[in-house]
């Protein structure tokens, strides 16, 4: 590990500032741009006053027509830049954020979500269509995000509304190709290869003469997905991205190993629900967009009956589109993000490393959102947008905020997972309906244990219970020393069901369960996962379970990096319907687990030796 306190001294010795294509001391009214200290772009006094910023908007023409009116869609774009760029003598790089949320979203009551109270594998109750979104905001301001941070440091900030939202033309597709091609068009315009216009339908052109064309993108959640989407087009001029809590696969967001599963906090949400939530575009095209996109393409693809992975989901999985991506990527996520779960960033980070793309990852221990420390973002953008050789590519690859530390004070590691992490396998001994044992000693003839599904009890209640016949719990001995888990746990479950279909949910928890004001987000749930036993052989094809027959299914839990303190016990909980995430079938399904065929694998720093 490299301590954060030594980073500044280390960088100061390393940095040799050279700027390719843009002088490190570009003069515009005797202003030095950029000003670099410790590898970071510093605030320039002449750029600090918002009264001296130029703000204007325009429409960039794309290569698609997603609202079907026979004309290429135009995206609404807003620019904020220092007044010193107006003459064209000073050209600055751009930090760009795009979003479907800027112009407003559907408002409560959210009665247009799917009803999850039905049997697994059955046709769900019809969903009520969402309300018309009331567009908010007036031109030229689309958003004020990023501006106060980056304009004073010598960057231009650009925002755009996604297709079919706000004053951007087209239709939302929630992961369709137009959501990748829209920001691509804006970047092409910033580099003089696409046309921008002063109005959505006029012919008066606007040129981006005030920029170098070097663009970086960032954003959080959906706004973090779109930088990755743009980068998968390989568009020239997109030099670096920082996706924060990005949804990198709509299948992984709304399904889990064949199971219909909601994102945390949004029970019953799906692609069509999100479409209704964001559709704030022109009223005259909404009926057509709903019919063609929502009620045809999306309705025909989401398959809430089987939950299988199909062509619709494959087309909304950015892991499948990484071929053209070359822009350096700084991923950011939280290990306790149960909305856009941490697997979303890890799967892309892992693939980009294998592809040879310059990449880095930042994780913290909180919930949804949370960008990297400003100094790290600054170094990333300064390196790739100003071409300053600040050594960021030589820094450790992984930055993880430890449990009791502030988010802007992460600990550095050579990589994630921790290079010293080794898989340790745990086995089960039963004591249902009370707690059994979790041990690294292989068990034989451990028999079977049965529990009954009952969604009336939430996961927390089941985890806290000393005994219940609605879950199985296996607990380790109390830890004599701290235990560092780093990586992706996995589980193999051999089970039989009394019905042809059943939910399967797994939580790994730390016990005793902590409650009250002093409880932290890292105290209780270590990680969790969900799967459909009907997909025990294939993610793309499920098969009904033969009641009473045993099947074996193996799947990953969510990635984690957590240090469990001494005195805690690891608890593996296996249950069926998860009240906050899965469908809610009628209680009564019995699941029987063969303990000899069931095991948990944990990536532990130091491996078996550390566990012992």
């Amino acid at each position: 590990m490299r301590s954060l306190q030594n980073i500044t001294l280390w960088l100061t010795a390393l940095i040799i500032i050279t700027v390719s294509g843009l002088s490190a001391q570009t003069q515009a009214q005797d202003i030095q741009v950029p000003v670099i200290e410790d590898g970071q772009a510093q605030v320039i006094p002449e750029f600090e006053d918002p009264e001296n910023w130029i703000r204007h908007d325009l429409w960039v023409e794309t290569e698609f027509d997603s609202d079907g009116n026979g004309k290429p869609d135009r995206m609404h774009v807003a620019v904020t830049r220092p007044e010193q760029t107006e003459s064209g003598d000073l050209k600055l790089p751009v930090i760009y954020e795009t979003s479907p949320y800027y112009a407003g979203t559907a408002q409560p009551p959210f009665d247009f979500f799917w009803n999850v109270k039905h049997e697994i594998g059955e046709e769900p109750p019809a969903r009520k269509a969402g309300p018309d979104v009331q567009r908010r905001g007036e031109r030229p301001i689309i958003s004020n995000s990023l501006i106060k941070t980056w304009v004073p440091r010598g960057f231009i900030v650009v925002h755009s509304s996604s297709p079919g939202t706000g004053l951007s033309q087209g239709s939302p597709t929630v992961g369709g190709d137009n959501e990748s091609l829209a920001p691509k068009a804006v970047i092409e315009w910033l580099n003089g290869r696409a046309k921008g216009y002063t109005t959505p339908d006029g012919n008066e052109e606007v040129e981006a003469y005030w920029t170098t064309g070097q663009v970086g993108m960032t954003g959080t959640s959906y706004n973090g997905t779109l930088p990755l989407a743009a980068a998968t087009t390989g568009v020239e001029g997109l030099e670096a991205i920082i996706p924060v809590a990005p949804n990198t696969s709509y299948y992984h967001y709304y399904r889990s190993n064949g199971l219909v599963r909601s994102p945390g906090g949004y029970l019953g949400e799906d692609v069509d629900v999100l479409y209704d939530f964001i559709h704030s575009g022109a009223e005259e095209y909404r009926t057509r967009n709903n019919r063609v996109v929502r009620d045809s393409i999306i309705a025909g693809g989401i398959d809430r009956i089987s939950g299988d992975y199909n062509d619709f989901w494959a087309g909304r999985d950015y892991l499948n589109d990484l071929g053209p991506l070359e822009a350096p990527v700084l991923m950011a996520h939280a290990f306790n993000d149960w909305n856009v779960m941490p697997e979303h960033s890890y799967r892309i980070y892992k693939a980009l490393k294998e592809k040879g793309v310059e990449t880095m990852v930042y994780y913290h221990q909180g919930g949804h959102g949370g960008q990297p420390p400003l100094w790290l973002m600054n170094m990333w953008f300064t390196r790739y947008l100003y071409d300053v050789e600040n050594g960021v590519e030589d820094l450790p690859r992984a930055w993880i905020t430890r449990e009791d530390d502030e988010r802007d004070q992460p600990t550095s590691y050579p990589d994630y997972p921790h290079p010293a992490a080794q898989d340790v396998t745990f086995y089960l001994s039963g004591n249902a309906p009370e707690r059994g044992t979790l041990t690294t000693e292989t068990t034989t003839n451990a028999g079977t244990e049965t529990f009954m599904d009952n969604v009336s009890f939430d996961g927390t209640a089941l985890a806290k219970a000393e005994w219940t016949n609605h879950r199985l719990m296996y607990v380790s001995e109390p830890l004599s020393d701290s235990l560092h888990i780093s990586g992706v746990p996995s589980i193999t479950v051999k089970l039989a069901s009394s019905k042809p279909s059943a939910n399967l949910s797994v939580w790994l928890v730390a016990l005793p369960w902590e409650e009250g004001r002093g409880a932290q987000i890292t105290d209780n749930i270590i990680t969790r996962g969900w799967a459909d036993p009907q997909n025990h052989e294939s993610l793309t094809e499920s098969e009904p379970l033969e009641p009473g027959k045993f099947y074996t299914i193996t799947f990953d839990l969510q990635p984690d990096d957590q240090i469990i303190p001494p005195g805690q016990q690891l608890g593996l909980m296996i249950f069926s319907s998860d009240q906050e995430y899965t469908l809610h079938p009628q209680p009564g399904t019995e699941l029987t687990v063969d303990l000899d065929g069931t095991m948990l694998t944990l990536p532990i720093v130091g491996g078996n030796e550390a566990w012992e």
Side-chain angles (χ1 to χ4, degrees):
M1 287 184 285
R2 191 190 308 278
S3 68
L4 187 60
Q5 288 79 8
N6 291 330
I7 288 294
T8 299
L9 293 175
W10 180 77
L11 286 172
T12 301
L14 179 67
I15 294 168
I16 302 175
I17 298 173
T18 58
V19 181
S20 174
L22 179 67
S23 169
Q25 294 190 7
T26 299
Q27 297 296 318
Q29 300 178 357
D30 298 323
I31 300 173
Q32 178 178 319
V33 182
V35 176
I36 307 296
E37 292 181 13
D38 298 330
Q40 303 170 51
Q42 302 298 304
V43 171
I44 299 169
E46 291 85 351
F47 295 169
E48 282 190 279
D49 188 353
E51 296 296 323
N52 296 329
W53 297 342
I54 296 174
R55 305 189 72 161
H56 56 99
D57 67 335
L58 62 138
W59 280 260
V60 169
E61 190 164 275
T62 70
E63 58 188 90
F64 55 83
D65 172 21
S66 58
D67 55 19
N69 67 354
K71 299 183 293 185
D73 297 338
R74 293 183 181 182
M75 297 301 104
H76 186 211
V77 177
V79 178
T80 305
R81 54 190 173 89
E83 65 177 359
Q84 292 85 353
T85 61
E86 181 64 12
S87 66
D89 294 330
L90 176 62
K91 300 179 186 295
L92 301 176
V94 168
I95 293 179
Y96 170 33
E97 183 180 38
T98 184
S99 173
Y101 297 142
Y102 291 142
T105 56
Q107 297 300 303
F110 297 127
D111 55 358
F112 55 97
F113 284 42
W114 286 93
N115 183 350
V116 299
K117 295 180 180 180
H118 64 87
E119 296 304 305
I120 303 166
E122 291 188 359
E123 188 77 35
R127 183 182 75 88
K128 177 182 176 181
D132 280 343
V133 178
Q134 300 300 310
R135 188 165 49 244
R136 69 165 185 260
E138 297 179 2
R139 55 179 301 199
I141 297 172
I142 292 179
S143 172
N144 288 313
S145 68
L146 307 175
I147 294 173
K148 291 182 180 179
T149 299
W150 297 109
V151 172
R153 287 176 167 82
F155 298 88
I156 293 165
V157 172
V158 169
H159 294 92
S160 72
S161 291
S162 293
T165 70
L167 298 180
S168 284
Q169 298 173 344
S171 173
T173 56
V174 189
D177 288 344
N178 68 337
E179 291 190 355
S180 301
L181 297 174
K184 176 191 175 186
V186 175
I187 295 166
E188 297 274 17
W189 171 72
L190 289 166
N191 281 273
R193 300 188 300 269
K195 292 184 177 182
Y197 298 93
T198 57
T199 61
D201 299 304
N203 296 316
E204 183 181 352
E205 294 189 22
V206 181
E207 295 184 1
Y209 59 86
W210 26 257
T211 178
T212 63
Q214 291 175 284
V215 181
M217 292 186 71
T218 189
T220 298
S221 196
Y222 208 141
N223 301 8
T225 299
L226 297 174
L228 180 65
T232 62
T233 69
V235 59
E236 185 180 350
L238 182 56
E239 306 295 340
I241 64 173
I242 305 178
V244 182
N247 172 2
T248 65
S249 162
Y250 282 89
Y251 184 84
H252 288 76
Y253 189 59
Y254 291 119
R255 305 289 183 269
S256 184
N257 301 298
L259 197 71
V260 176
R261 189 214 65 208
S262 304
Y266 298 92
L267 191 64
E269 188 185 320
D270 212 322
V271 175
D272 53 351
V273 176
L274 185 54
Y275 169 97
D276 283 342
F277 186 72
I278 64 173
H279 195 187
S280 62
E283 287 78 3
E284 62 265 33
Y285 293 111
R286 291 189 190 181
T287 299
R288 177 268 172 198
N289 292 344
N290 292 345
R291 183 183 71 255
V292 173
V293 178
R294 184 192 66 192
D295 302 334
S296 180
I297 296 172
I298 295 176
I302 58 175
D303 182 12
R304 287 186 65 85
I305 297 177
S306 77
D308 292 349
Y309 190 81
N310 56 28
D311 290 343
F312 172 85
W313 296 113
R316 284 163 168 77
D317 186 340
Y318 295 104
L319 187 66
N320 299 329
D321 299 331
L322 295 182
L325 190 153
E326 296 181 355
V329 180
L330 168 55
M331 280 288 190
H333 221 124
F335 287 121
N336 293 285
D337 185 346
W338 303 114
N339 178 359
V340 182
M341 300 191 189
E343 66 180 338
H344 284 270
S345 287
Y346 175 68
R347 61 202 297 271
I348 299 298
Y349 175 67
K350 179 183 177 183
L352 292 180
K353 285 194 302 180
E354 295 170 353
K355 188 176 184 293
V357 173
E358 189 68 36
T359 188
M360 184 180 287
V361 66
Y362 162 81
Y363 284 112
H364 64 86
Q365 304 292 338
H368 186 51
Q371 64 184 22
L374 179 58
W375 66 264
L376 188 56
M377 295 181 70
N378 193 328
M379 288 190 69
W380 199 258
F381 282 143
T382 297
R383 170 66 184 88
Y384 297 111
L385 303 189
Y386 267 117
D387 297 319
V388 172
E389 299 285 349
N390 61 9
V392 71
E393 63 268 43
D394 298 318
L395 290 177
R397 293 295 87 191
W399 298 84
I400 298 173
T401 301
R402 294 271 45 109
E403 289 71 12
D404 295 321
D405 292 342
E406 298 296 327
R407 288 188 185 180
D408 61 352
Q409 295 293 320
T411 299
S412 64
Y413 295 92
D415 204 352
Y416 177 79
H418 194 296
Q422 300 174 24
D423 285 343
V424 177
T425 302
F426 292 81
Y427 304 93
L428 318 179
S429 294
N431 191 33
E434 298 180 62
R435 297 171 176 176
T437 59
L438 188 67
T439 176
T440 55
E441 297 180 7
T442 305
T443 57
T444 57
N445 300 317
T448 63
E449 295 201 311
T450 299
F451 65 95
M452 182 182 295
D453 183 23
N454 191 338
V455 76
S456 301
F457 299 94
D458 66 18
T460 297
L462 295 176
K464 290 162 54 179
E466 291 292 333
W467 66 269
T468 173
N469 63 356
H470 299 306
R471 59 95 178 106
L472 302 178
M473 176 71 85
Y474 305 94
V475 180
S476 74
E477 292 293 324
L479 301 178
S480 59
D481 199 352
S482 59
L483 185 74
H484 189 173
I485 297 172
S486 180
V488 184
S490 66
I491 190 167
T492 295
V493 183
K494 186 176 182 181
L495 83 167
S497 170
S498 65
K499 294 182 180 180
S501 59
N503 292 318
L504 178 61
S505 303
V506 173
W507 285 16
L508 183 66
V509 299
L511 299 172
W513 196 271
E514 300 290 339
E515 294 185 287
R517 292 184 178 181
Q520 300 183 43
I521 196 171
T522 55
D523 282 343
N524 298 317
I525 298 173
I526 298 172
T527 186
R528 42 190 167 187
W530 304 263
D532 186 348
Q534 295 183 105
N535 292 89
H536 58 93
E537 287 191 351
S538 170
L539 194 61
T540 59
E541 187 174 354
S542 56
E543 62 172 348
L545 305 175
E546 181 181 329
K549 180 181 178 179
F550 280 90
Y551 301 86
T552 298
I553 183 168
T554 298
F555 57 96
D556 289 339
L557 307 184
Q558 289 299 314
D560 194 30
D561 192 294
Q562 188 169 337
I563 297 176
I564 314 298
Q568 295 286 95
Q569 296 173 277
L570 301 184
L572 173 65
M573 183 171 73
I574 302 173
F575 62 118
S576 184
S577 298
D578 190 330
Q579 189 182 97
E580 297 177 277
Y581 296 90
T582 69
L583 299 180
H584 290 190
Q586 285 293 316
T589 302
E590 289 187 342
L591 292 178
T592 300
V593 174
D594 182 332
L595 300 188
D596 287 339
T598 301
M599 62 202 71
L600 170 72
T601 301
L602 288 183
I604 295 175
V605 176
N608 275 294
E609 183 178 349
W611 173 254
E612 295 298 333

